[in-house]
Amino acid sequence: MNWRYVCKLDDLPVLGARVLERGETEGGNVAMFRNDQNVVFALLDKCPHKGGPLSQGIVFGERVACPLHNWTIELESGDAVHPDVGCTARFAVKIDNGDVFVDLP
C-alpha cells in the first residue's frame, strides 16, 4: 500500500470535506469526507454523472449529494444510489494516532 498523509482528523470538518490536490496525470483530485460518526472516506472528486466536485456536496450519513444535479453517492463504495447509475473511484483510508492517511496508487 502507498499511504500518503493527508491531515489531522481534527482538521477534517465533521459533515464536510477536504481536497487532496493531484494533477490529472496522477488521476485527479481526491475528496476526503468525514461523517458525523467520525468515519473518514476518500473518493475521486468527480461525480460519475457530469464530473461535479463531490467535495462541495452535502455529506449525510455515509453519502454525499453532488452539488450539480443532486445525485447521491455512497461514500463507502463510490456507487450512485438508485435510480442513478455510475461509480466514482474510492480509496482506502486509515487513521493512526489522529493522523489521516489515504492509499494512493
Side-chain angles (χ1 to χ4, degrees), residues 4-7 12 17-23 26-32 42-45 55 91 100-104:
R4 179 171 169 186
Y5 173 79
V6 177
C7 63
L12 193 57
R18 181 176 178 147
V19 177
L20 177 60
E21 294 187 9
R22 301 188 313 161
E26 295 177 286
N29 292 344
V30 175
M32 306 292 301
L43 296 175
L44 187 65
D45 196 19
S55 60
F91 303 90
V100 178
F101 296 86
V102 63
D103 180 29
L104 297 175

Side-chain angles (χ1 to χ4, degrees), residues 22-100:
R22 301 188 313 161
E24 287 302 317
T25 58
E26 295 177 286
N29 292 344
V30 175
M32 306 292 301
F33 300 94
R34 179 179 177 188
N35 71 7
D36 58 353
Q37 301 298 308
N38 288 322
V39 180
V40 178
F41 305 90
L43 296 175
L44 187 65
D45 196 19
K46 284 186 181 179
C47 178
H49 177 225
K50 299 271 186 177
L54 294 175
S55 60
Q56 295 177 22
I58 297 171
V59 176
F60 58 101
E62 292 192 1
R63 296 178 172 176
V64 61
C66 178
L68 293 185
H69 300 102
N70 208 33
W71 275 38
T72 300
I73 309 299
E74 294 281 355
L75 293 171
E76 180 67 33
S77 65
D79 292 331
V81 175
H82 182 77
D84 300 320
V85 178
C87 185
T88 190
R90 64 168 292 282
F91 303 90
V93 174
K94 74 175 180 178
I95 300 172
D96 185 20
N97 292 324
D99 293 329
V100 178

